[in-house]
Amino acid sequence: MLPAVVKLCCGISYPHLRSLAGLQRTAVAVIGQELTHLQRWVQVQHQKRTHAGLKYNVPKPEDITPVPLKEDQLFYIQQGQEAMRKALCMLEDTQGWKVEITESEGDVICSKVVPGAGKVFRLETVLESSVDELYDLLFVRVEEMHQWNPSVEHIKVLKHVGPETIVTHEVSASTGGNLIGQRDFLSVRHSCKQKSSVYLGGAAIQLESFPPQAGFVRAEDGPTCIIIQALDEDTGKSRFTWLLNIDVKGWLPKSIVNQALPRAQLDFTRHLRRRLTANATLG
């Protein structure tokens, strides 16, 4: 089942791998590794349930039959992987990017119009942090983001699906200077780790059990992704690349939206740097 999911999520067959390069080839390799981890996770869950019923009868590894994932679990994992694949393909296409903003801290934001997605924004910078610390802040402890990012009112993890996929509900803060206004998001978030790199992908998702909330305009993410890579010469620093692809919905003029989104990226990065500095001071 799982190898079939790789082919379904990546939209490829094995001969096509010969034509992949750069980020897309890396993404396929990462997803393959990550599904191996998922198989192990399924076995561990089965082992835990067996321990609960037979306290002293620990099964041998060869006696463990992996428990198939439920259909909805596979759906969420597939959605997260597909979002990551599409976002990485956008980043891999180097043609058509236009510089929007260059900051003194080294932040550079470019934009391009992508068919079917509209205008997307790519932020690139270097952060004084390890890959693991950023992964912990941005994925493992995502529910704590409101503590250091005033643009977020709250983020709640609604579902944990396997070791690397979550479904979240996020509400943006109603703050002064917010040109877009308050929005809420329902998203699937997926992570892949490969040696000195982390890939965080995501996209909007719909749940009958969690319809749009009264008083909010539900915006839609994605496909979007963040790539965190350790600098070769310094493992205490990371190259940070963020593809922002969002439909804010509502009736706002595109000119307002296209002005607000890259500024939101700069604000996020500024708050993230402050958090990293505070952590370094406490550490």
Side-chain angles (χ1 to χ4, degrees):
M1 171 68 76
L2 288 174
V5 174
V6 175
K7 296 171 75 173
L8 178 64
C9 292
C10 295
I12 60 171
S13 61
Y14 293 112
H16 294 168
L17 284 172
R18 300 189 189 98
S19 64
L20 294 180
L23 288 174
Q24 193 173 355
R25 183 186 294 276
T26 302
V28 173
V30 171
I31 289 173
Q33 286 186 347
E34 172 245 306
L35 283 175
T36 299
H37 296 320
L38 179 60
Q39 287 177 311
R40 294 172 183 167
W41 176 80
V42 171
Q43 290 180 340
V44 170
Q45 300 309 305
H46 178 81
Q47 201 168 9
K48 286 180 179 178
R49 285 191 286 270
T50 304
H51 289 175
L54 300 171
K55 187 173 180 180
Y56 300 107
N57 186 14
V58 180
K60 299 177 182 178
E62 58 268 22
D63 296 331
I64 298 175
T65 301
V67 178
L69 292 175
K70 295 181 180 179
E71 184 176 348
D72 64 334
Q73 291 177 309
L74 286 175
F75 170 76
Y76 295 129
I77 293 170
Q78 174 189 335
Q79 292 296 304
Q81 291 173 337
E82 179 68 4
M84 184 178 295
R85 184 192 68 82
K86 289 182 177 179
L88 288 170
C89 286
M90 291 182 193
L91 287 174
E92 187 182 39
D93 184 358
T94 59
Q95 301 299 315
W97 292 98
K98 174 186 175 183
V99 176
E100 295 271 348
I101 302 173
T102 301
E103 292 285 292
S104 58
E105 292 88 351
D107 302 350
V108 178
I109 296 181
C110 299
S111 69
K112 71 181 296 185
V113 176
V114 177
K119 195 168 189 178
V120 301
F121 299 88
R122 182 192 68 202
L123 178 143
E124 293 180 301
T125 193
V126 173
L127 297 174
E128 298 278 346
S129 174
S130 68
V131 171
D132 288 340
E133 182 181 14
L134 288 168
Y135 174 74
D136 185 60
L137 275 176
L138 300 179
F139 191 82
V140 177
R141 293 191 289 147
V142 68
E143 287 187 316
E144 300 175 16
M145 189 176 291
H146 67 281
Q147 297 177 6
W148 54 268
N149 183 3
S151 299
V152 173
E153 185 170 292
H154 79 260
I155 298 178
K156 176 68 177 177
V157 175
L158 304 179
K159 293 178 181 289
H160 287 272
V161 188
E164 293 161 339
T165 305
I166 56 178
V167 177
T168 63
H169 178 242
E170 175 181 348
V171 177
S172 64
S174 179
T175 58
N178 185 348
L179 298 177
I180 293 177
Q182 199 168 24
R183 296 289 191 270
D184 82 327
F185 304 81
L186 190 64
S187 308
V188 57
R189 302 179 186 225
H190 187 73
S191 70
C192 291
K193 300 185 73 175
Q194 184 190 42
K195 296 182 180 179
S196 59
S197 301
V198 165
Y199 301 80
L200 307 177
I205 196 169
Q206 295 183 1
L207 295 177
E208 291 184 3
S209 59
F210 209 95
Q213 306 296 290
F216 296 105
V217 174
R218 176 155 293 177
E220 294 187 355
D221 273 326
T224 185
C225 75
I226 289 175
I227 303 173
I228 307 166
Q229 299 169 302
L231 292 183
D232 294 337
E233 66 275 13
D234 189 344
T235 56
K237 294 183 180 180
S238 300
R239 181 175 290 105
F240 184 84
T241 304
W242 174 17
L243 177 73
L244 178 61
N245 174 19
I246 180 174
D247 183 350
V248 300
K249 301 298 184 180
W251 299 98
L252 291 173
K254 286 186 178 181
S255 59
I256 297 296
V257 174
N258 291 338
Q259 177 185 352
L261 292 181
R263 287 295 171 187
Q265 286 184 293
L266 292 178
D267 289 343
F268 175 89
T269 309
R270 184 175 67 255
H271 297 312
L272 178 56
R273 280 196 173 96
R274 288 175 180 172
R275 178 67 173 198
L276 294 172
T277 299
N279 286 353
T281 301
L282 294 174

